[in-house]
Each structure stands twice: as structure tokens, then as C-alpha cells.
Amino acid sequence: MKDRQAEERPAGVPEEAKQAGETQGQWSWVEASVWTERMLTALEKGVKGGKWFSLIDKVSSKANLRASFEKVKANKGSAGVDHVTIEMFEVHLEENLERVSRELISGNYQPQAIRRVWIPKAGSKEKRPLGIPTVRDRVVQGALRHAVEPIFEAEFASESYGFRPGRSAKDALRRVWEWLTEGYTYVVDADLESYYDTIPQEQVLKRVAEQVADSKVLELIGKYLRQEVMESAKRWTPERGTPQGAVLSPLLSNIYLNNLDHLMAEKGYRMVRYADDFVILCRSEKEAQEALEEVRRWTEAAGLRLHPEKTRIVDVDQPGGFDFLGYHFERGYRWPRRRSIKKFRADIRKKTKRTRGDSLQTIILDVNRTLRGWFEYYKHSHWNTFRPLDAWTRMRLRSILRKRRGGKGRGCGRDHNRWTNAYFAEQGLFSLVAAFEAASQSSKR
């Protein structure tokens, strides 16, 4: 009888239980210092009362905090408002983790302010805010995420792809393409206006409380939602939102939109979401209008707002199309959106300045890193995407060689005969066209 009660009890999981690292399958990604085999079994079967208790001991364990630090270290990143770098934190790592652990258990842990900076949007002159927590806070947020993420991952909808284990933007794009080719060509192209800055804090905390009943964990999440922001030497406390750049923000954003995912699936709509970016694919304009109204009602009730100018219904079989996760979809084809091309050119420009003093081989090695990574993501584009970009990249390299011979301006004219396409191939320059042709042949086989 006692053994059976112990198995059913959601809170009192013994530390000596078999670790989750021995578990195969969908939970192989969880933090083994937190999620034991017995906890994962309870996760799959459902815990008594539907809520998880006594998680703060998992969050505050030294093993969990140490594992979180290793991820923070691997991700690099700048110091926060306390000017403590990752290297400085690591010098006294065990002391720092011990102090953090004690404060978490006692409930005295206080997050420090977030340092806000503005960074350029990819391929745009616009900028977006990025919050940089202190290293200490990043470690705690990571440990907190280790403890609670599997609980919500078990509840997330199948068509949500952003910032989830084992899922990627390419999975979301594959799903969109699959439904487009099946005839779902009327698309609700939706945009949540300033989503991360407008999430109602109390509402998202209530969503967390639906699964988590540990008061100290809920209080800690609340502290992170309400922590101060420092910008240009001024401090202020946001009343809404969760800062982009914080370790917890992607998980909290997914938690808040999870109900929308399930609602649309229950209504029979084909919605694909990646973080706050989503599209709904329909067979008719009428169905798309109805789907949009459903989303509009939900967002208004949830305290969110659809962007009035960026949210629209598109017939993909007509000129215009829509953009999603870096791709443009239109009339049965897909290719990189304009901003993606602009960012590609900007990245290559940085590496091919005419004044760069490195050898051509060194420059090509550097350029190849961008070309290979870009192709891996955009290799499903229409075939005519790649030839102009190959030609433009070679022009940039010819311009460097031209300057070294005392010439001015772009590589052109006789430069094409002096440094032919074959010459750059011999130097090892990655060719987007050749890579596309090789990938096409491979897929045919």
C-alpha cells in the first residue's frame, strides 16, 4: 500500500530514483539531474490532481544549477547590469551556485534588472529590443526551465514548432508546404503586434499555475515577469510582457499561446505556429475569414492584438503571396523573402570588403561558412534563386582581386576572363547552384 501511494504522490519523488538519461524516446532531451524515470512515468500517466508540487528542490539542486551554467557558458553572451561576465562567474562557480541554491530554497532569491539594448532586425533598418539578464539570472532561469518545461511540453499542440525540443523552423516550413500542395491555398497571414511586450503577466502566470502548484516556483516566475529593466541608465518596471532574450521567455510565450493552438485544431483549422509567428491554411476565402475571426476573438479575450496592417488573407495562387520564417510562398513556388536576400548580401559584404588583407583562400573559407549555412536553410527554394547570388558573390571576390592589382570599382569586364568561374571553383568557393543540383539529383535517386 505504501509503495503504491509513493508512486502516485506527485511531489515526493526520491532522489535515488533511476535518472531520465536512461529513458529513450521523446524525453531523452530532459535534464537528467531533475527528471527521474519515475517522474517521467508520472508525466506520461498524469499526476494526482493534475498539478506538480515540490519542484523548488529540483530547481535549486546544485547539479541542476551546474548543468544550467554549462548551457549559459556554451551560449556565451554579454554581462548584465552587474557587469559580471561568464568567466568571472565561473571563477567562484561552486560558491556562486551554493549561494543561489540557498536563496532559492529560502525564497529570498531576487532577480536583478535586465539590461535592454536595441538590435537591428534581419534585413531591415528597424530595431527590436533585447533584454540581457545577468549571468546569475540566466543560470537560475535555465534551472527553472529544466524543471518545468517537460510539464508543459507534454501539453503543447503538435503544430507548434518554435523553441521546442526536437523541432525547428524547417519542420514548420515543411508542414506549411505540405498543406499548400494539398490545396489549402487561402492563408491567414497573422501578426501579433509586439507580442513579447504585451503578454499579460498575471494571465500567463495563471496558465503556469494550472500545471504547477509549487508556490515558490510560481513566486520565482512572477519575480522574473516583474523584474526591472535598465535602459540608458534609467530603471523601470514593465507591467506587461516578458523580455526577449530571457531564458524563460520562449517557454512562457508558448504556454500563453498553447490554448490558441488547441482551439484552432479543435475547430478543424490548419494552423502552423513558430513562437509568435503563425499562419492558418484554408481551402476557401470564406473559411479563411472565419478562421481570422476566431483568432481575433481569442486574441482580444487574451489581452493581445493582431497587427491591423500586417494581418491579412492571401490567395497563394495569385501574385503577392506571403512570407513565413524567411521564405516567400507564391503561385506554387517558394524562395527566400526579400529581407532574407538583403541579410545574405549584408553578411557577404562584411566578409568581402575590398580592403580586407587576408589571402583569397582565407576569405573564401570565411565566405563558405555563410554560403553553406544559408543554402542548408534555403535549399528548397526555386532553382532560379541561386545563380544570381553565386554571380554576385564572385563579383565581390573579383573586386578584391581587382583592387589588389591597382584597379578601382567592382570586378567586371576583363576581370571575368582573368578570374573565371572555374578559377573560383578551383579555389574551393562553395557554389549554391552546384549544391542545389547535387541535392536535386540526390532527391531523385
Side-chain angles (χ1 to χ4, degrees), residues 383 436-445:
W383 62 268
F436 177 77
E437 291 174 349
S440 298
Q441 290 297 322
S442 178
S443 63
K444 289 177 181 178
R445 288 196 295 270

Side-chain angles (χ1 to χ4, degrees), residues 111-124:
Q112 295 173 280
I114 286 177
R115 180 166 65 89
R116 173 173 277 194
V117 297
W118 292 82
I119 61 174
K121 286 187 176 181
S124 170

Side-chain angles (χ1 to χ4, degrees), residues 139-293:
V139 170
V140 173
Q141 286 193 38
L144 186 56
R145 183 168 181 167
H146 287 167
V148 302
E149 183 173 28
I151 296 171
F152 294 96
E153 182 62 30
E155 303 294 328
F156 285 156
S158 61
E159 303 305 337
S160 165
Y161 295 91
F163 305 108
R164 293 183 59 190
R167 289 167 173 254
S168 68
K170 293 176 74 172
D171 295 322
L173 289 165
R174 193 176 296 113
R175 193 61 158 157
V176 167
W177 185 249
E178 177 185 333
W179 280 337
L180 285 174
T181 55
E182 289 179 6
Y184 294 87
T185 56
Y186 286 87
V187 178
V188 179
D189 183 12
D191 184 273
L192 290 170
E193 189 171 14
S194 303
Y195 173 61
Y196 282 90
D197 292 331
T198 59
I199 297 175
Q201 295 176 351
E202 292 305 318
Q203 291 300 315
V204 74
L205 202 54
K206 285 181 180 178
R207 301 282 170 85
V208 175
E210 291 173 2
Q211 302 289 331
V212 175
D214 188 315
S215 60
K216 287 186 178 180
V217 168
L218 293 173
E219 183 182 357
L220 182 60
I221 294 174
K223 286 178 180 179
Y224 277 120
L225 286 169
R226 293 184 290 270
Q227 70 187 119
E228 287 186 318
V229 174
M230 176 177 281
E231 184 176 5
S232 302
K234 295 181 180 179
R235 287 176 179 256
W236 54 283
T237 303
E239 297 180 357
R240 299 173 70 87
T242 176
Q244 295 188 60
V247 178
L248 272 180
S249 291
L251 176 60
L252 294 176
S253 70
N254 275 335
I255 290 172
Y256 199 60
L257 290 178
N258 186 47
N259 285 355
L260 175 62
D261 296 335
H262 286 292
L263 173 67
M264 299 306 287
E266 289 166 5
K267 296 282 185 179
Y269 296 115
R270 285 160 172 75
M271 186 174 97
V272 177
R273 182 173 68 82
Y274 189 93
D276 61 330
D277 197 358
F278 64 91
V279 290
I280 307 166
L281 297 95
C282 306
R283 285 197 179 275
S284 67
E285 185 175 6
K286 181 176 181 294
E287 183 186 358
Q289 290 284 2
E290 292 170 350
L292 178 55
E293 286 306 309

Side-chain angles (χ1 to χ4, degrees), residues 245-392:
V247 178
L248 272 180
S249 291
L251 176 60
L252 294 176
S253 70
N254 275 335
I255 290 172
Y256 199 60
L257 290 178
N258 186 47
N259 285 355
L260 175 62
D261 296 335
H262 286 292
L263 173 67
M264 299 306 287
E266 289 166 5
K267 296 282 185 179
Y269 296 115
R270 285 160 172 75
M271 186 174 97
V272 177
R273 182 173 68 82
Y274 189 93
D276 61 330
D277 197 358
F278 64 91
V279 290
I280 307 166
L281 297 95
C282 306
R283 285 197 179 275
S284 67
E285 185 175 6
K286 181 176 181 294
E287 183 186 358
Q289 290 284 2
E290 292 170 350
L292 178 55
E293 286 306 309
E294 195 72 54
V295 171
R296 186 169 281 121
R297 283 192 294 270
W298 188 91
T299 52
E300 288 176 0
L304 304 173
R305 186 169 182 258
L306 289 172
H307 197 294
E309 297 176 3
K310 296 181 180 180
T311 300
R312 62 204 179 106
I313 292 175
V314 176
D315 179 356
V316 186
D317 288 335
Q318 301 300 317
F322 70 98
D323 295 338
F324 186 60
L325 300 181
Y327 270 87
H328 181 79
F329 297 86
E330 184 179 337
R331 290 176 285 182
Y333 299 105
R334 50 186 164 172
W335 58 84
R337 67 173 184 169
R338 289 182 181 178
R339 282 188 180 182
S340 301
I341 296 293
K342 287 181 67 175
K343 185 178 185 305
F344 169 84
R345 289 176 180 262
D347 290 344
I348 295 296
R349 280 194 188 97
K350 289 178 184 178
K351 297 184 175 186
T352 56
K353 292 180 179 179
R354 295 174 205 173
T355 55
R356 183 168 177 176
D358 297 312
S359 68
L360 180 63
Q361 287 73 23
T362 299
I363 295 172
I364 286 176
L365 284 173
D366 194 14
V367 168
N368 280 352
R369 282 190 282 269
T370 296
L371 292 172
R372 286 195 175 95
W374 194 88
F375 178 77
E376 182 58 31
Y377 191 79
Y378 291 103
K379 62 185 176 183
H380 301 292
S381 299
H382 190 267
W383 62 268
N384 66 5
T385 298
F386 305 105
R387 195 169 301 279
L389 297 178
D390 268 349
W392 183 83

